[in-house]
Amino acid sequence: MKLKKKKDYFFETLENMADTVVQAADYFSQHVSNLQDVTLFANEMKKYESKCDDYVHTIITELNKTFITPIERDDIMELTTTLDDVLDGLEATASRFYMYQLTDPDDEFVIQFAEILRQSAYEIQKAIHLLSQKKLLAIREYTIRLNDLENQGDEVLRMCIKHLFATVSDPIELIKRKEIYERLETTTDACEDVANVLESIIMRNS
């Protein structure tokens, strides 16, 4: 009877991080368009962020006591950090909705950003699971898609900033909205950063 090979601990934890990013992006996308309870929204996003932080601490602890790793130690650490940055960006945006008490469900640009981030999270998840299977060249399909989604985020930011200055005269409201848009776009950048780390791993290990 052939025993199934146990999955590497680092790959397994990175998969758990990617799965958490998907769960958080799904929750964000589903609820940001109808913020009936902005406190609950922010608190739930904080739970996802804390869960991801736990995985980061786990990986750092294991790296400090593991001599042989499945890929370069720096690559594991950089991938861990960039995955964490994605969730940090989602949580930071949710916390701004809470702090500014923004409950308007009709902001089409926030909804567009949320969908871009949701799709990006799924591309990240697929790529990380392929990394665990050592199917490195197959990852390229998802890194290319992540780059394309980041470009879409840039375009949404251009449109929403133009619309914001054309339609909002209250300077406080303008500042609040602008910060949220920019945080969302920065989070799409973080998703692309994950893709860039994966590309580096592919080059070094193919």
Side-chain angles (χ1 to χ4, degrees):
M1 181 177 175
K2 189 176 180 181
L3 294 175
K4 187 177 180 181
K5 189 178 178 182
K6 189 176 185 296
K7 188 175 290 183
D8 178 85
Y9 186 83
F10 292 106
F11 285 154
E12 186 173 26
T13 308
L14 287 167
E15 283 185 2
N16 289 338
M17 286 188 75
D19 294 345
T20 304
V21 169
V22 164
Q23 291 161 15
D26 268 341
Y27 182 89
F28 188 93
S29 179
Q30 289 164 11
H31 291 83
V32 76
S33 62
N34 186 18
L35 291 176
Q36 295 178 341
D37 190 338
V38 71
T39 303
L40 176 64
F41 177 67
N43 287 342
E44 287 299 311
M45 291 303 300
K46 183 63 181 174
K47 289 178 186 177
Y48 289 120
E49 191 262 345
S50 297
K51 186 177 179 181
C52 206
D53 282 345
D54 289 341
Y55 290 131
V56 173
H57 297 318
T58 297
I59 286 176
I60 292 171
T61 301
E62 288 299 314
L63 280 174
N64 286 332
K65 63 183 185 183
T66 303
F67 183 67
I68 298 174
T69 55
I71 55 176
E72 292 290 332
R73 305 169 74 83
D74 289 347
D75 288 336
I76 293 172
M77 196 62 242
E78 197 168 358
L79 194 52
T80 301
T81 302
T82 51
L83 283 168
D84 188 50
D85 287 344
V86 175
L87 232 169
D88 284 347
L90 286 166
E91 189 278 327
T93 306
S95 72
R96 292 316 185 276
F97 277 99
Y98 167 73
M99 287 188 287
Y100 300 155
Q101 287 297 296
L102 293 174
T103 58
D104 180 8
D106 298 322
D107 192 325
E108 62 177 293
F109 298 113
V110 169
I111 294 168
Q112 286 180 49
F113 269 123
E115 177 58 20
I116 288 169
L117 287 165
R118 189 190 69 80
Q119 290 182 36
S120 297
Y122 276 95
E123 302 302 322
I124 288 170
Q125 183 188 46
K126 292 168 191 170
I128 296 295
H129 280 260
L130 283 174
L131 179 64
S132 298
Q133 299 167 40
K134 302 288 184 73
K135 295 179 179 178
L136 297 180
L137 295 179
I139 292 172
R140 280 238 162 84
E141 174 186 346
Y142 304 105
T143 60
I144 291 168
R145 178 72 177 138
L146 283 164
N147 290 328
D148 178 58
L149 287 163
E150 191 275 334
N151 289 335
Q152 292 179 36
D154 287 345
E155 182 59 30
V156 173
L157 182 65
R158 282 191 286 271
M159 290 189 301
C160 66
I161 295 297
K162 180 182 178 182
H163 181 265
L164 185 66
F165 279 88
T167 58
V168 177
S169 56
D170 180 352
I172 302 300
E173 184 69 15
L174 190 146
I175 289 168
K176 291 191 291 187
R177 294 281 178 181
K178 184 171 180 287
E179 183 186 356
I180 283 173
Y181 295 147
E182 288 174 343
R183 281 188 177 275
L184 287 164
E185 193 277 330
T186 299
T187 309
T188 67
D189 289 343
C191 294
E192 186 179 44
D193 289 342
V194 175
N196 292 338
V197 174
L198 288 166
E199 283 286 351
S200 295
I201 292 170
I202 292 167
M203 282 193 297
R204 278 197 283 271
N205 293 277
S206 294

